Amino acid sequence: MKSSGLCAWLEARAQPDTAEHGIIERYKLGPGRAAAAVECARGRLYHAVELDAHGRISRFEFLAPTEWNFHKRGPLVRNLQGAVLTAPRRCDAVHAVIASLDPCVGFTLNFREFHDA
């Protein structure tokens, strides 16, 4: 969805049934329980909610794209795991991967040299 289409959709009260396919997903998880996912600039944002017997929210959880992108099983680790990074380009390569996932995340790089025994 182009940004102008997204703005028009939001101005038209942003109903899930009128969203472009795949932008919003919703899931029934049982009585009083549901989840939803929405496509965002840095990946999918997930929400799960559970209601009590009175219809009040008793549990709410979310998973933001940044949490998943930097999780130990997420795309950052999968992209860098096992990578052979030569000295001159290693910092630039890691910076590029991190910036592609989220340019606002602060981080520190530490490298350890491994030599053949």
Short mmCIF file of all heavy atoms in Angstrom, two decimals, residues 5 12-13 18 20 32 36 38-40 45 50 55-57 66 72 78-79 90 112-113 115:
data_model
loop_
_atom_site.label_atom_id
_atom_site.label_comp_id
_atom_site.label_asym_id
_atom_site.label_seq_id
_atom_site.Cartn_x
_atom_site.Cartn_y
_atom_site.Cartn_z
N GLY A 5 -2.22 5.86 -0.22
CA GLY A 5 -3.31 4.90 -0.01
C GLY A 5 -3.51 4.60 1.46
O GLY A 5 -4.64 4.48 1.93
N ALA A 12 -10.41 7.16 6.29
CA ALA A 12 -11.72 6.53 6.09
C ALA A 12 -12.07 5.59 7.25
O ALA A 12 -12.82 4.65 7.11
CB ALA A 12 -11.75 5.78 4.77
N ARG A 13 -11.48 5.83 8.40
CA ARG A 13 -11.72 5.11 9.66
C ARG A 13 -11.06 3.74 9.74
O ARG A 13 -11.37 2.95 10.61
CB ARG A 13 -13.20 5.03 9.97
CG ARG A 13 -13.80 6.40 10.12
CD ARG A 13 -15.19 6.31 10.65
NE ARG A 13 -15.76 7.64 10.66
CZ ARG A 13 -16.21 8.22 11.74
NH1 ARG A 13 -16.18 7.60 12.88
NH2 ARG A 13 -16.71 9.43 11.68
N THR A 18 -11.36 -3.45 5.11
CA THR A 18 -11.08 -2.68 3.90
C THR A 18 -9.58 -2.50 3.66
O THR A 18 -9.19 -1.83 2.71
CB THR A 18 -11.75 -1.29 3.97
OG1 THR A 18 -11.21 -0.56 5.07
CG2 THR A 18 -13.26 -1.42 4.11
N GLU A 20 -5.74 -3.40 2.57
CA GLU A 20 -5.10 -4.20 1.53
C GLU A 20 -4.72 -5.56 2.10
O GLU A 20 -4.29 -5.67 3.26
CB GLU A 20 -3.85 -3.45 1.05
CG GLU A 20 -3.20 -4.05 -0.16
CD GLU A 20 -2.05 -3.19 -0.63
OE1 GLU A 20 -2.29 -2.00 -0.92
OE2 GLU A 20 -0.92 -3.71 -0.70
N GLY A 32 -13.07 -15.06 24.42
CA GLY A 32 -12.47 -13.91 25.08
C GLY A 32 -10.99 -13.71 24.79
O GLY A 32 -10.33 -12.93 25.47
N ALA A 36 -3.87 -10.02 16.87
CA ALA A 36 -3.86 -9.31 15.60
C ALA A 36 -2.42 -8.97 15.25
O ALA A 36 -1.56 -8.86 16.12
CB ALA A 36 -4.69 -8.04 15.69
N VAL A 38 -0.22 -6.37 12.39
CA VAL A 38 -0.29 -5.31 11.39
C VAL A 38 1.12 -5.10 10.83
O VAL A 38 2.10 -5.13 11.56
CB VAL A 38 -0.89 -4.02 11.97
CG1 VAL A 38 -0.04 -3.45 13.09
CG2 VAL A 38 -1.10 -2.97 10.88
N GLU A 39 1.19 -4.92 9.53
CA GLU A 39 2.47 -4.68 8.87
C GLU A 39 2.89 -3.25 9.12
O GLU A 39 2.12 -2.31 8.91
CB GLU A 39 2.32 -4.94 7.37
CG GLU A 39 3.62 -5.17 6.67
CD GLU A 39 4.37 -6.38 7.19
OE1 GLU A 39 3.78 -7.44 7.44
OE2 GLU A 39 5.60 -6.25 7.37
N CYS A 40 4.12 -3.07 9.61
CA CYS A 40 4.65 -1.74 9.93
C CYS A 40 5.93 -1.51 9.12
O CYS A 40 6.40 -2.40 8.43
CB CYS A 40 4.96 -1.65 11.42
SG CYS A 40 3.50 -1.83 12.45
N LEU A 45 3.85 -6.03 13.66
CA LEU A 45 3.57 -5.73 15.06
C LEU A 45 2.43 -6.64 15.48
O LEU A 45 1.37 -6.66 14.85
CB LEU A 45 3.18 -4.26 15.21
CG LEU A 45 2.68 -3.80 16.57
CD1 LEU A 45 3.76 -3.96 17.64
CD2 LEU A 45 2.21 -2.36 16.49
N GLU A 50 -6.71 -10.82 26.11
CA GLU A 50 -7.62 -11.76 26.75
C GLU A 50 -8.56 -10.95 27.64
O GLU A 50 -8.12 -10.06 28.38
CB GLU A 50 -6.84 -12.76 27.58
CG GLU A 50 -7.68 -13.88 28.14
CD GLU A 50 -6.83 -14.95 28.79
OE1 GLU A 50 -5.66 -15.14 28.40
OE2 GLU A 50 -7.35 -15.60 29.72
N GLY A 55 -15.72 -8.77 30.48
CA GLY A 55 -15.35 -8.09 29.25
C GLY A 55 -14.23 -7.09 29.40
O GLY A 55 -13.96 -6.32 28.49
N ARG A 56 -13.54 -7.10 30.54
CA ARG A 56 -12.41 -6.21 30.76
C ARG A 56 -11.12 -6.91 30.36
O ARG A 56 -11.00 -8.13 30.47
CB ARG A 56 -12.34 -5.79 32.23
CG ARG A 56 -13.53 -4.93 32.65
CD ARG A 56 -13.39 -4.54 34.09
NE ARG A 56 -13.35 -5.76 34.91
CZ ARG A 56 -14.00 -5.94 36.04
NH1 ARG A 56 -14.73 -4.97 36.53
NH2 ARG A 56 -13.91 -7.07 36.70
N ILE A 57 -10.16 -6.15 29.93
CA ILE A 57 -8.87 -6.72 29.54
C ILE A 57 -8.17 -7.28 30.78
O ILE A 57 -7.93 -6.56 31.74
CB ILE A 57 -7.98 -5.67 28.85
CG1 ILE A 57 -8.64 -5.21 27.55
CG2 ILE A 57 -6.58 -6.21 28.61
CD1 ILE A 57 -7.94 -4.05 26.88
N THR A 66 11.11 -4.59 16.39
CA THR A 66 12.49 -4.49 16.88
C THR A 66 12.82 -5.64 17.83
O THR A 66 13.91 -6.20 17.79
CB THR A 66 12.73 -3.14 17.57
OG1 THR A 66 12.51 -2.11 16.59
CG2 THR A 66 14.14 -3.01 18.11
N LYS A 72 17.36 -13.63 19.66
CA LYS A 72 18.42 -14.61 19.36
C LYS A 72 18.04 -15.56 18.22
O LYS A 72 18.91 -16.20 17.64
CB LYS A 72 18.82 -15.39 20.62
CG LYS A 72 17.72 -16.25 21.19
CD LYS A 72 18.20 -16.93 22.46
CE LYS A 72 17.08 -17.75 23.08
NZ LYS A 72 17.52 -18.36 24.34
N ARG A 78 20.34 -14.60 12.50
CA ARG A 78 20.36 -15.52 11.35
C ARG A 78 21.25 -14.97 10.23
O ARG A 78 21.93 -15.72 9.54
CB ARG A 78 18.95 -15.76 10.84
CG ARG A 78 18.13 -16.65 11.75
CD ARG A 78 16.87 -17.19 11.08
NE ARG A 78 16.16 -16.26 10.23
CZ ARG A 78 15.11 -15.52 10.60
NH1 ARG A 78 14.65 -15.61 11.83
NH2 ARG A 78 14.52 -14.72 9.76
N ASN A 79 21.25 -13.65 10.03
CA ASN A 79 22.07 -13.06 8.97
C ASN A 79 23.55 -13.03 9.29
O ASN A 79 24.38 -13.07 8.39
CB ASN A 79 21.59 -11.64 8.65
CG ASN A 79 20.38 -11.64 7.76
OD1 ASN A 79 20.42 -12.21 6.68
ND2 ASN A 79 19.31 -11.03 8.22
N ARG A 90 34.46 -5.64 8.32
CA ARG A 90 33.55 -6.27 9.27
C ARG A 90 32.62 -5.28 9.97
O ARG A 90 31.44 -5.55 10.12
CB ARG A 90 34.31 -7.11 10.27
CG ARG A 90 35.22 -6.34 11.20
CD ARG A 90 35.99 -7.29 12.05
NE ARG A 90 36.90 -6.52 12.91
CZ ARG A 90 37.85 -7.04 13.60
NH1 ARG A 90 38.06 -8.34 13.54
NH2 ARG A 90 38.61 -6.31 14.35
N ARG A 112 36.07 -10.75 18.36
CA ARG A 112 37.11 -11.64 18.86
C ARG A 112 37.73 -12.32 17.66
O ARG A 112 37.03 -12.79 16.77
CB ARG A 112 36.52 -12.72 19.78
CG ARG A 112 36.09 -12.16 21.11
CD ARG A 112 35.58 -13.27 21.99
NE ARG A 112 34.32 -13.74 21.42
CZ ARG A 112 33.67 -14.81 21.83
NH1 ARG A 112 34.15 -15.54 22.80
NH2 ARG A 112 32.54 -15.17 21.28
N GLU A 113 39.04 -12.35 17.63
CA GLU A 113 39.76 -13.00 16.53
C GLU A 113 39.92 -14.47 16.86
O GLU A 113 40.30 -14.84 17.97
CB GLU A 113 41.13 -12.36 16.34
CG GLU A 113 41.09 -10.91 15.93
CD GLU A 113 40.55 -10.67 14.54
OE1 GLU A 113 40.70 -11.55 13.67
OE2 GLU A 113 39.95 -9.59 14.32
N HIS A 115 41.90 -17.86 15.59
CA HIS A 115 43.03 -18.30 14.77
C HIS A 115 43.06 -19.82 14.78
O HIS A 115 42.61 -20.47 15.72
CB HIS A 115 44.35 -17.77 15.32
CG HIS A 115 44.39 -16.27 15.34
ND1 HIS A 115 44.64 -15.52 14.21
CD2 HIS A 115 44.19 -15.38 16.33
CE1 HIS A 115 44.60 -14.24 14.52
NE2 HIS A 115 44.33 -14.11 15.81
#
